[in-house]
Amino acid sequence: MDEGTAVEQVTRYVERLGLTAHPPATLAALRELQRAHVSRIPYDNLSIMLGRPDAVDPPASAARAASGGRVGYCFQQNGALEWLLTGLGFSVSRRHGHVWSRPEDELGTELNHLVLVVSGLPADDNPGGHWWVDAGLGEGFAEPLPLVRGDHVVEGWSFGIGAGYGAQAAGRPTGPAAWTYRHLPGGVLRGMVVPSRDHSSAAIADAHRALSVGDRSPFRRVLVAQRIDGPEQRTIRGLVHQVLTPSAHEQRDLTSYDEWHAALVDDLLLPVDDVTDDEWESLWTRTVAAHRAWDEAGRP
């Protein structure tokens, strides 16, 4: 991609986020960019559920963001955001992320999340200047977390950063190299370990292949779309529409195709212009069947 094309794509990406000009590489702008990204570009696995997963490389993911298309799930969302932040002049680096939901999986080594760190932006509460930026959790923090050990409150939600394993666990401060993470209460995931493991483009491509087409991938079981609107964690999972806030939990079943489709498009802001009628019919049929099976099993 030549320089002129890249600048034009950055402009279109920024415009999709509701901004009128390229922001400077400042902490205030970083916060504004993440808030806009998680609010306006939903996390989703629709392309995976349709059997035609999108490319995972950052330029391709950024191109979908800039053109108004679906970006995808964690690797794609954060790959696109990394491309944008780098183009705007931020200092961005990557980390290996291992998300876990069951305690027995906490010490696993699977690469299932791309973690981004923006450096060089010191603040009173973060003199080291390292910030965890994330648009790929689906439900998560609306603005970057300081890489400082302790609890961090964003929009009334509390998120925890802990020391890493080994030398970090001996009491040294958490830094940009390794840490642990405690997720918001009531979320689908429980936490994350960010170790010093392989997070190369090749490793991410292999992980994406397993998660997008692998028989055991959770991303092939049920449609998920999520976005974060300030304190609201908005989700559609299968036929269940959920809105979490720090003080309330609203949940309802979507009982008709029209209601389900409208919620995906109008509430979750999911771009669907490329989805055919046959694909919608097939996905609706599978989603209803999966919902019935889950309901009959007692909604485990």
Side-chain angles (χ1 to χ4, degrees), residues 146-152 160-164 168-175 179-180:
L147 279 179
V148 175
R149 227 177 355 174
D151 294 333
H152 304 287
I161 301 274
Q168 293 281 3
R172 298 181 185 177
T174 296
W179 66 89
T180 57

Side-chain angles (χ1 to χ4, degrees), residues 75-96:
F75 291 135
Q76 297 159 317
Q77 291 279 348
N78 282 342
L81 183 57
E82 175 191 27
W83 184 93
L84 175 64
L85 294 176
T86 300
L88 291 172
F90 290 92
S91 175
V92 189
S93 58
R94 292 180 165 199
R95 302 289 185 275
H96 177 296

Side-chain angles (χ1 to χ4, degrees), residues 236 238-239 241 252-268 272 277 280-281 283-285 287-288:
I236 290 176
L239 295 183
H241 182 280
R252 64 188 178 95
D253 289 356
L254 303 168
T255 58
S256 71
Y257 171 82
D258 289 342
E259 185 182 26
W260 175 68
H261 184 276
L264 288 169
V265 174
D266 299 334
D267 184 23
L268 274 295
V272 298
D277 290 344
W280 276 124
E281 182 178 356
L283 184 58
W284 169 249
T285 300
T287 301
V288 169

Side-chain angles (χ1 to χ4, degrees), residues 238-240 253 286-296 299:
L239 295 183
V240 178
D253 289 356
R286 286 185 287 146
T287 301
V288 169
H291 183 83
R292 285 176 179 161
W294 175 66
D295 205 26
E296 291 169 359
R299 302 196 170 198

Side-chain angles (χ1 to χ4, degrees), residues 155-170:
E155 293 283 6
W157 293 106
S158 177
F159 307 92
I161 301 274
Y165 297 115
Q168 293 281 3

Side-chain angles (χ1 to χ4, degrees), residues 147-270:
L147 279 179
V148 175
R149 227 177 355 174
D151 294 333
H152 304 287
V153 178
V154 179
E155 293 283 6
W157 293 106
S158 177
F159 307 92
I161 301 274
Y165 297 115
Q168 293 281 3
R172 298 181 185 177
T174 296
W179 66 89
T180 57
Y181 165 69
R182 174 185 50 75
H183 194 48
L184 59 85
V188 172
L189 66 97
R190 295 279 300 280
M192 189 187 310
V193 179
V194 183
S196 298
R197 294 187 181 275
D198 187 10
H199 53 272
S200 63
S201 295
I204 288 172
D206 287 344
H208 172 63
R209 191 175 303 110
L211 291 173
S212 60
V213 301
D215 291 339
R216 299 175 60 187
S217 171
F219 293 98
R220 299 183 62 201
R221 297 173 191 162
V222 62
L223 175 66
V224 177
Q226 297 177 295
R227 67 185 185 91
I228 305 167
D229 191 3
E232 295 182 344
Q233 310 277 339
R234 310 189 72 86
T235 299
I236 290 176
R237 179 172 280 101
L239 295 183
V240 178
H241 182 280
Q242 176 179 270
V243 180
L244 283 177
T245 69
S247 59
H249 179 184
E250 299 176 10
Q251 184 171 295
R252 64 188 178 95
D253 289 356
L254 303 168
T255 58
S256 71
Y257 171 82
D258 289 342
E259 185 182 26
W260 175 68
H261 184 276
L264 288 169
V265 174
D266 299 334
D267 184 23
L268 274 295
L269 308 181
L270 192 63

Side-chain angles (χ1 to χ4, degrees), residues 19 29 35 41 44 60 87 105 115 126 138 144 179 187 210 233 256 295 297:
L19 307 179
R35 280 185 174 275
I41 302 182
D44 80 278
D105 296 331
V115 175
N126 184 11
W179 66 89
Q233 310 277 339
S256 71
D295 205 26

